Each structure stands twice: as C-alpha cells, then as structure tokens.
Amino acid sequence: DWTPVVATFGGIEMALVPPGCFTMGHTEGRRDERPEHEICFDHAFWIDRTEVTNGQYGSEGHFTGENHPRENLTWMEARDFCVAHGGRLPTEAEWEYAARGPDNPLYPWGDELDLSMLVFDRNQPGQTADVGSKPDGSSWVGAVDMAGNVFEWVNSIYARYPYDASDGREDASDTTSLRVYRGGNLSYLDYAADSTMRFRMSPDERDWFVGFRCARDFE
C-alpha cells in the first residue's frame, strides 16, 4: 500500500524506502541465499531511483550514452562517488528490501518472471539501455531497473547468511574482501533476474555489466 515518494538530491532522484520488515533470502534459491530470515529497518532511507548514469558520473563506461548506466568501475570508485554526493552504497539488505518490500515478491514486480519488465539479451542483445526504459518493472518504492540492465555493486562484503550488519560485512574501509553485486541482467537471465540472487567480485575488478546506485540516510 506504499505510495512512492521521490526527492532530488544534487540533481539525482532518490526514492524513499520506509521502515519495515521483509524476508531476506530464498529457500529454493542457491545455497548462499539460504536460510530465509527476517530483516527489519527501524528508520527510513533513500535509494537512487535509477542506476547512476554516465551523465551523472561524468564519464562513460564501456557503453556510451548519457542516460545509460555507468558500469565498468571498481567497487571503490562506486563507493567514492556515493560518498562525494552525500550518500553511500546501499547494504545488500537495503538493496533487497527496496527491490522486494514487505510482501517479499521474488521479482520487483511480482512472483512471476515477466520478460517485458526488464532489459536483457532478448530485447537488448549485448547492450545496456537508458535507465528507466522499463518503468512497469519498477519496485514497490518506485526504483527502476532493480532487475535487468546492469548488475549493481552494494556495500556488503560477501558473507554467509543470516545477514548481520554488525558482523563486519559493512566495513566500507576494507578494500580487499569480495563484495556483493545484485540485480540480474542480460545473459544471466535464466537464473539471475530474481531479487534474492547474490554475486561476488573483488572490489578492484571491473565488469561491463556491473554498475551501481547510491543510498543515503533519511534525515
């Protein structure tokens, strides 16, 4: 029943994510998505409505176009951009909550994979697209492209579930541990489009299909 609330910070639109609880993970997913467990947020936070674009970042990644998502950057570069703009990378719990919400659908739009709701190899072969090109696939808070287009770095160090924000996995100063990226797209559609899927990569690696979005605390 949440009505999306969007505000602009430094020229970048952010969606408000209200306090609440959701079930993180997926019992029928891969081993690192288990066990399912409840995560609650006592405070609201903001998350970028779209992936950070080439235009917002100030340079292009592998794919050109001002409104295409900025990719091919390290975790540190994504982290530093968010901090420089008054925010931070979202935790993987925040990211999944913003994608799924308290009703816990498997995809941002519901429990069934709808191929018209995301950018992937069948409708954008080997390419990204302008952010927000699939508005009907937006999440409950109004965030778009949380499935498809590019994967997204989050702040979290890759670690086993249950998720615990206080166990060191949210240490933003650690530049060696594997970091999580989320949001299925392109050739990984067959098993990566759902909102519970987790991937990991070294923070100093780059990939053509890994971008990011920022979060910030609600004040």
Side-chain angles (χ1 to χ4, degrees), residues 17-207:
V17 185
C21 299
F22 83 111
T23 300
M24 189 172 187
H26 185 206
T27 296
E28 298 180 7
R30 297 197 305 180
R31 180 170 54 187
D32 65 357
E33 299 172 55
R34 306 191 296 263
E36 291 185 354
H37 52 289
E38 185 180 64
I39 297 291
C40 293
F41 295 93
D42 295 330
H43 303 285
F45 61 92
W46 298 94
I47 194 164
D48 285 354
R49 194 180 69 82
T50 73
E51 295 148 338
V52 173
T53 65
N54 289 327
Q56 291 166 343
Y57 194 82
S59 65
E60 294 181 330
H62 177 76
F63 297 102
T64 61
E66 182 176 355
N67 292 319
H68 279 235
R70 179 59 160 91
E71 26 63 25
N72 207 33
L73 77 174
T74 68
W75 175 85
M76 283 82 75
E77 289 168 337
R79 174 201 63 184
D80 293 349
F81 176 91
C82 292
V83 171
H85 288 77
R88 53 181 173 76
L89 285 171
T91 69
E92 74 171 314
E94 289 174 332
W95 190 97
E96 188 171 326
Y97 179 53
R100 304 180 71 193
D103 291 336
N104 308 302
L106 194 55
Y107 305 97
W109 53 82
D111 285 319
E112 299 297 327
L113 180 58
D114 184 336
L115 304 187
S116 69
M117 297 288 190
L118 76 166
V119 176
F120 67 113
D121 265 351
R122 294 189 204 173
N123 56 28
Q124 195 77 10
Q127 295 285 325
T128 58
D130 284 354
V131 298
S133 63
K134 300 290 184 180
D136 290 341
S138 64
S139 76
W140 67 295
V141 297
V144 295
D145 294 321
M146 298 199 82
N149 223 357
V150 294
F151 291 102
E152 302 172 18
W153 284 117
V154 295
N155 189 68
S156 308
I157 292 171
Y158 182 80
R160 290 183 177 182
Y161 281 175
Y163 174 87
D164 181 355
S166 66
D167 66 2
R169 72 181 72 198
E170 299 303 341
D171 180 2
S173 66
D174 182 335
T175 58
T176 59
S177 297
L178 297 177
R179 295 283 171 168
V180 176
Y181 60 95
R182 292 294 204 105
N185 87 107
L186 298 166
S187 60
Y188 292 101
L189 173 72
D190 57 336
Y191 66 94
D194 61 78
S195 301
T196 63
M197 182 64 67
R198 311 169 71 208
F199 294 90
R200 60 190 183 273
M201 189 163 66
S202 175
D204 59 358
E205 289 188 62
R206 305 170 187 272
D207 189 279

